[in-house]
């Protein structure tokens, strides 16, 4: 018989069970500590269990596009809104169509509801518009100071007015020039534009103001960005090719109001946008990639803006009529661009998300916003937990009646699996936005049977070895390779089914598939790192090793016949006479 190769353990060897048990105990302690460290002690619940907000969006066709409301555009809009709300994780926010022109968005309570609702609310087209001028977001006084007027500070000293729109004359000229895409007049230290006298020594006559520009100036002066109604009404009915007034927040979180020129690039021209950390400068930036057509448009507008004076060298990123960012253009850009500033990771990711998914094929209005009660879901959860408890109790009773002492191994393994499942689900809430809904609870209950089935496969393999006449120690090790293959194949089929179900379905069914896949993976971990090492250690005890009647491994109960004993016959001495 050939000896096993050096350095390799022969099949069926006991290994080191203590290390495996220590590893899984460390994992349990680490996960539990993570729960207390994050302050999350219970799994995040879905909208059907914890309640939340239900938003109904109605599709409105754009002017001149009466056939825009169709299945293709609605499905595209659902996918974009779903990515906005759910991000990369499983936050269980449901986005689905209702009828031909409505989209229902259900946002669970506690799943960053405010941010998700803001993402749902910003569903109009994304536009890039040149900045003409801007100032603070409050209304301007009717009486504007003279060109040489000054304001007094708290110390009584006079300071020149620094706001470009403080003078009505300067503001009007800046607006007019900006809308014509011409350079702005050079301001003097007092804030008024410099004028060259003509040959008679008189300043040139001011051309008559355009009525549309004058109306825009008045609208700009009266706009109060601190009022939501003003922000909504300011740009209602404005076409992309028309100038507009808009509001936006600066880096300090203060409202500012803008006069913006006609749209130069729209959101459909953006191919991709990402938030990244620039390791050289140590700041967060947002990078944009444009389509072929968008690159040409962007290169054209940035070429013009880079030659302008502030603030007309800025372009505003406008979503739903609100300025989300107004970066300065320093050079001509084309296929890609970089936006930098005082970004945090969250603000950079939010802007990248808006740029990536801002171009919806339709415009949506918020029809209704209702609060969903969790009373019905709570009753269903209670009924489901009672049913699960009854099922678990029946499984335990069966294990005790049939496997006796081995039932202890199965029950402890189920407890370990439950602890791992609970802690991981709790940590996945703040981690990826996972929310536990009713189908997910069903998936966890189904997993009890899958996990118990793995233990039963191993126990039966051990009993088969004992029926063949082996003692417990070698039976435990010889049964493991055969049981391991069966368990892996069974769990692989379950995981594959869960993965396919997760990919091809949406909404609540994904919660079932996600939980089923997670518990299936944990079943493999528990069987390999806990059940098998525990059986190896218990085989060394007298109770299990000698096959006690209540151990579940009694050879007599398993039908093992004791080996036949050979007896010697003492032959009688031969009589010499007979010989």
């Amino acid at each position: 018989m050939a000896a096993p190769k050096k350095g390799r353990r022969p099949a069926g060897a006991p290994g080191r069970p203590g290390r495996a048990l220590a590893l899984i105990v460390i994992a349990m302690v680490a996960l539990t500590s993570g729960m207390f460290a994050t302050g999350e002690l219970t799994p995040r619940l879905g909208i059907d269990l914890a309640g939340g907000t239900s938003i109904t969006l109605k599709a409105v066709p754009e002017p001149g596009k009466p056939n825009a409301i169709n299945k293709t555009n609605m499905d595209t809009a659902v996918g974009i809104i779903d990515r906005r709300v759910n991000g990369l994780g499983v936050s269980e926010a449901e986005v689905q169509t209702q009828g031909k022109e409505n989209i229902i968005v259900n946002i669970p309570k506690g799943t960053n509801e405010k941010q998700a609702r803001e993402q749902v609310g910003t569903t109009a087209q994304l536009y890039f518009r040149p900045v003409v001028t801007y100032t603070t977001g409050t209304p301007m006084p009717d009486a504007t100071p003279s060109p040489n007027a000054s304001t007094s500070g708290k110390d009584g000293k006079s300071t020149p007015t620094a706001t470009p729109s403080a003078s009505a004359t300067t503001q009007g000229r800046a607006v007019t020039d900006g809308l014509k895409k011409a350079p702005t007049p050079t301001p003097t230290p007092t804030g008024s534009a410099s004028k060259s006298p003509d040959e008679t020594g008189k300043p040139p006559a001011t051309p008559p103001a355009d009525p549309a520009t004058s109306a825009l100036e008045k609208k700009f002066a009266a706009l109060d960005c601190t009022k939501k109604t003003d922000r909504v009404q300011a740009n209602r009915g404005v076409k992309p090719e028309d100038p507009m007034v808009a509001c936006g927040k600066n880096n300090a979180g203060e409202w500012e109001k803008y006069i913006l020129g006609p749209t130069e690039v729209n959101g459909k021209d953006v191919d991709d946008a990402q938030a990244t950390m620039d390791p050289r400068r140590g700041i967060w930036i947002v990078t944009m990639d444009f389509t072929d057509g968008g690159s040409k448009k962007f290169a054209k507008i940035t070429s013009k803006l880079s030659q302008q004076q502030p603030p007309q060298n800025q372009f505003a990123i406008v979503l739903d009529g609100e300025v989300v960012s107004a970066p300065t253009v320093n050079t001509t850009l084309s296929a890609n661009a970089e936006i930098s500033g005082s970004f945090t990771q969250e603000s950079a990711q939010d802007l990248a998300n808006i740029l990536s998914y801002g171009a919806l094929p339709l415009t949506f209005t918020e029809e209704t916003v209702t609060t969903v009660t969790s009373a019905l879901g709570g009753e269903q959860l209670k009924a489901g937990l009672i049913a699960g408890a009854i099922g678990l109790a029946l499984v335990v009773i069966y294990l005790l009646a049939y496997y006796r002492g081995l039932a202890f191994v199965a029950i402890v393994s189920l407890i370990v699996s439950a602890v791992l499942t609970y802690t991981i689900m709790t940590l996945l809430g703040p981690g990826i936005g996972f929310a536990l809904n009713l189908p997910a609870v069903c998936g966890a209950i189904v997993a009890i049977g899958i996990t118990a089935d793995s233990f039963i496969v191993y126990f039966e393999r051990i009993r088969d070895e004992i029926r063949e006449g082996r003692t417990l120690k070698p039976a435990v090790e010889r049964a493991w390779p055969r049981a391991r293959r069966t368990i892996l194949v069974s769990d692989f089929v379950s995981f594959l089914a869960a993965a396919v179900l997760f990919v091809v379905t949406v909404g609540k069914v994904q919660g079932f598939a996600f939980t089923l896949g997670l518990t299936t993976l944990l079943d493999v971990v528990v069987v390999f790192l806990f059940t098998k090492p525990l059986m190896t250690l218990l085989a060394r005890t007298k109770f299990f090793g000698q096959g006690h009647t209540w151990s579940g491994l009694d050879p007599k109960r398993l039908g093992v016949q004791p080996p036949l004993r050979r007896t010697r016959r003492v032959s009688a001495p031969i009589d010499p006479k007979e010989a």
Side-chain angles (χ1 to χ4, degrees):
M1 182 176 180
K5 293 182 180 181
K6 186 177 180 181
R8 295 185 61 184
R9 183 167 51 87
R16 297 177 179 179
R19 289 186 176 183
L21 291 175
L23 182 61
I24 200 166
V25 169
I26 292 173
M28 293 171 62
V29 172
L31 290 171
T32 305
S33 301
M35 285 175 50
F36 285 96
T38 58
E40 299 285 342
L41 302 181
T42 56
R44 182 174 296 175
L45 300 179
I47 191 171
D48 53 355
L49 299 180
T53 304
S54 180
I55 304 173
T56 302
L57 301 175
K58 184 177 181 179
V60 179
E62 298 178 359
K65 298 180 180 179
N67 299 323
I69 301 179
N70 53 56
K71 187 177 185 303
T72 301
N73 286 348
M74 291 293 286
D75 290 342
T76 302
V78 167
I80 292 173
I81 295 174
D82 181 70
R83 281 183 296 226
R84 281 181 173 181
V85 177
N86 286 321
L88 300 178
V90 187
S91 64
E92 297 301 324
E94 301 172 10
V95 183
Q96 55 191 358
T97 57
Q98 185 181 67
K100 294 183 179 180
E101 57 183 19
N102 292 328
I103 293 179
I104 306 298
V105 183
N106 293 325
I107 305 171
K109 183 179 180 181
T111 312
N112 207 345
E113 181 179 347
K114 181 180 179 182
Q115 183 180 5
R117 185 174 175 182
E118 290 176 353
Q119 293 285 345
V120 170
T122 53
T123 53
Q125 295 287 345
L126 177 71
Y127 298 110
F128 294 78
R129 292 173 174 264
V131 174
V132 177
T133 188
Y134 71 93
T135 185
T136 56
T138 55
M140 298 178 187
D142 293 336
T144 55
S146 62
N148 295 322
S150 61
T151 58
S152 298
K154 294 181 180 180
D155 55 358
K157 297 180 180 180
S158 297
T159 56
T161 303
T163 305
S165 56
S167 168
T169 304
T170 306
Q171 174 189 317
R173 180 162 300 180
V175 172
T176 303
D177 292 342
L179 295 178
K180 291 180 178 177
K181 297 188 174 73
T184 57
T186 306
T188 62
T190 60
S192 60
S194 59
K195 302 177 182 180
S196 300
D198 58 14
E199 295 177 356
T200 61
K202 297 181 180 180
T206 303
D210 182 10
T213 303
S214 300
L216 195 66
E217 294 173 20
K218 293 178 181 179
K219 193 175 183 180
F220 175 68
L223 178 61
D224 187 356
C225 290
T226 59
K227 296 181 180 180
K228 184 177 180 180
T229 54
D230 282 20
R231 297 197 302 269
V232 174
Q233 295 292 337
N235 46 67
R236 178 162 291 181
V238 176
K239 297 180 180 180
E241 60 272 16
D242 296 335
M244 64 178 290
V245 296
C247 297
K249 286 188 176 181
N250 57 22
N251 294 332
E254 300 171 342
W255 284 107
E256 294 179 335
K257 54 184 177 180
Y258 296 78
I259 293 182
L260 306 176
T263 299
E264 298 289 346
V265 184
N266 63 54
K268 295 180 182 179
D269 295 319
V270 179
D271 187 44
D272 189 24
Q274 293 183 348
T276 58
M277 167 63 75
D278 186 342
R280 183 174 58 86
R281 291 175 289 176
I283 59 173
W284 281 94
I285 61 173
V286 178
T287 58
M288 292 185 296
D289 294 328
F290 291 89
T291 62
D292 293 338
S295 298
K296 296 177 181 177
K297 297 178 186 178
F298 198 66
K300 182 179 179 181
I301 182 60
T302 54
S303 175
K304 294 180 180 179
L305 294 180
S306 62
Q307 301 174 19
Q308 302 294 321
Q309 298 295 322
Q312 294 177 17
N313 62 343
Q314 298 175 240
F315 69 86
I317 302 171
V318 185
L319 181 65
D320 228 11
E322 185 175 305
V323 178
V324 295
S325 183
T328 300
V329 178
N330 296 321
T331 184
T332 302
L333 303 170
S334 56
N336 50 64
E338 172 191 300
I339 302 176
S340 60
S342 302
F343 284 123
T344 62
Q345 180 179 359
E346 182 179 1
S347 62
Q349 290 174 345
D350 285 344
L351 179 57
N353 187 35
I354 289 172
L355 293 171
S356 296
Y357 309 128
L360 289 176
L362 299 167
T363 300
F364 290 87
T365 59
E366 194 175 84
E367 288 288 292
T368 60
V369 179
T370 58
T371 301
V372 180
T373 177
S374 60
L376 179 61
E379 293 177 0
Q380 293 176 345
L381 176 62
K382 183 178 179 181
L385 292 178
I386 292 175
I390 293 173
L392 180 61
L394 291 176
V395 170
V396 171
I397 291 173
Y398 173 79
L399 290 173
L400 289 172
Y402 190 75
Y403 287 106
R404 299 194 175 190
L406 286 177
F408 165 77
V409 180
I411 293 172
V412 176
S413 298
L414 284 173
I415 293 174
V416 172
S417 180
V419 171
L420 291 174
T421 302
Y422 183 86
T423 53
I424 291 176
M425 284 185 176
T426 302
L427 292 175
L428 287 179
I432 64 172
F434 172 77
L436 189 67
N437 57 14
L438 281 174
V441 174
C442 294
I445 294 174
V446 170
I448 297 174
I450 296 176
T451 305
D453 182 63
S454 299
F455 306 151
I456 291 173
V457 168
Y458 185 32
F459 294 161
E460 287 301 322
R461 293 295 188 187
I462 294 175
R463 296 177 115 185
D464 288 343
E465 295 292 335
I466 292 176
R467 290 188 183 99
E468 293 178 4
R470 294 184 178 86
T471 58
L472 183 59
K473 285 185 179 181
V476 166
E477 303 306 327
R478 289 179 63 89
W480 175 241
R482 299 170 63 190
R484 179 178 58 201
R485 287 193 296 269
T486 305
I487 292 170
L488 287 175
V489 170
S490 176
D491 284 343
F492 174 76
V493 172
S494 297
F495 182 81
L496 183 62
V500 172
L501 193 63
F502 183 85
V503 171
V504 302
T505 58
V506 295
K508 295 182 179 181
V509 181
Q510 281 189 328
F512 173 85
F514 183 84
T515 307
L516 183 61
L518 174 64
T519 50
T520 301
L521 291 176
L522 290 178
D523 174 48
V524 176
V525 173
V526 171
V527 171
F528 274 69
L529 297 182
F530 186 80
T531 307
K532 165 57 174 61
L534 183 61
M535 279 303 306
T536 300
L537 294 179
L538 292 178
R540 302 171 185 175
T541 64
K542 182 178 180 181
F543 181 80
F544 286 95
Q546 295 183 3
H548 191 276
T549 305
W550 289 96
S551 66
L553 299 170
D554 183 11
K556 293 182 179 180
R557 289 181 60 86
L558 296 177
V560 178
Q561 297 294 332
L564 296 176
R565 295 181 180 179
R566 296 181 180 180
T567 57
R568 290 184 180 182
R569 290 186 178 182
V570 180
S571 55
I574 299 177
D575 190 351
K577 295 180 179 181
E578 296 179 358

